[in-house]
Amino acid sequence: MDSAGQDISLNSPNKGLLSDSMTDVPVDTAVAAQTPAVEGLSEAEEEELRAELAKVEEEIVTLRQVLAAKERHCGELKRKLGLSALEGLKQNLSKSWHDVQVSNAYKKTQETLSQAGQKTSAALSTMGSAISRKLGDMRNSATFKSFEDRVGTIKSKVVSGRENGSDNLPSPTGSGDKPLPDHTPF
């Protein structure tokens, strides 16, 4: 690419676009002067190329200085407008999150999770009904009724004992010679 024909205007719509052949690698002119010229180049052509190289390097330095000045000016404008790096980060994150939400992958994942949630809810509801039904069946069983009767008998003995002025419970062994220690009820 001919560097003399390049548009280096800062107002160009092509600014900031580099061709594939252009790279931003500084060339050490002392090393370049010591390397032997490529075979087939005349001394005049070599001098012309060295002059062009020096000019391009000078343009790169100038462009870096202009870019640094533009970045400082941009920073000043943002500071005057109250825009901070944190505000820019918030805006970038917000935009990125929005982009994620409108992506096909997010929509498919959201739909799949919604369906899984509905199926889980239905399964838990069915399981809850089954447990409730089993507990109802258990409560109606002869074993539970027998247990319930025993608890009721013990309760009535405790209540009738208190009504008679005795806070002592009957002994578990059935012998009434040692009452249980006096405890405050719950």
Side-chain angles (χ1 to χ4, degrees):
M1 180 175 223
D2 184 18
S3 63
Q6 289 180 343
D7 184 9
I8 59 169
S9 168
L10 294 178
N11 294 325
S12 167
N14 296 325
K15 70 180 175 189
L17 300 177
L18 296 175
S19 71
D20 291 338
S21 64
M22 292 181 63
T23 59
D24 190 5
V25 178
V27 175
D28 188 357
T29 53
V31 173
Q34 293 173 356
T35 45
V38 177
E39 292 181 28
L41 286 180
S42 69
E43 214 173 286
E45 290 173 329
E46 184 179 339
E47 280 301 314
E48 183 181 330
L49 289 175
R50 289 188 193 281
E52 186 177 343
L53 176 62
K55 181 182 175 189
V56 169
E57 286 178 338
E58 186 179 313
E59 288 173 352
I60 290 171
V61 170
T62 302
L63 289 172
R64 284 185 179 151
Q65 291 171 346
V66 170
L67 179 61
K70 293 278 186 186
E71 286 175 339
R72 279 192 304 273
H73 184 63
C74 178
E76 290 172 12
L77 291 174
K78 284 182 177 181
R79 186 183 48 78
K80 287 179 182 178
L81 289 171
L83 301 175
S84 64
L86 181 61
E87 187 65 31
L89 181 62
K90 282 184 197 177
Q91 289 175 352
N92 286 344
L93 287 175
S94 178
K95 183 184 180 318
S96 296
W97 178 242
H98 175 72
D99 292 347
V100 165
Q101 285 180 320
V102 296
S103 71
N104 286 337
Y106 180 83
K107 288 178 182 177
K108 287 180 182 178
T109 303
Q110 185 179 25
E111 182 179 310
T112 302
L113 290 176
S114 176
Q115 290 174 356
Q118 291 171 356
K119 289 179 181 179
T120 302
S121 177
L124 290 175
S125 176
T126 302
M127 189 174 74
S129 297
I131 290 172
S132 178
R133 187 176 56 250
K134 289 292 182 184
L135 288 175
D137 292 347
M138 188 177 81
R139 187 158 191 239
N140 293 329
S141 73
T143 307
F144 187 82
K145 289 202 181 282
S146 171
F147 176 73
E148 190 175 38
D149 290 342
R150 288 183 187 169
V151 171
T153 304
I154 294 171
K155 180 182 172 192
S156 65
K157 286 183 181 179
V158 170
V159 170
S160 67
R162 287 194 179 158
E163 289 174 357
N164 294 335
S166 170
D167 282 341
N168 298 331
L169 294 174
S171 136
T173 59
S175 62
D177 55 350
K178 289 186 180 180
L180 293 175
D182 188 22
H183 291 291
T184 317
F186 294 106

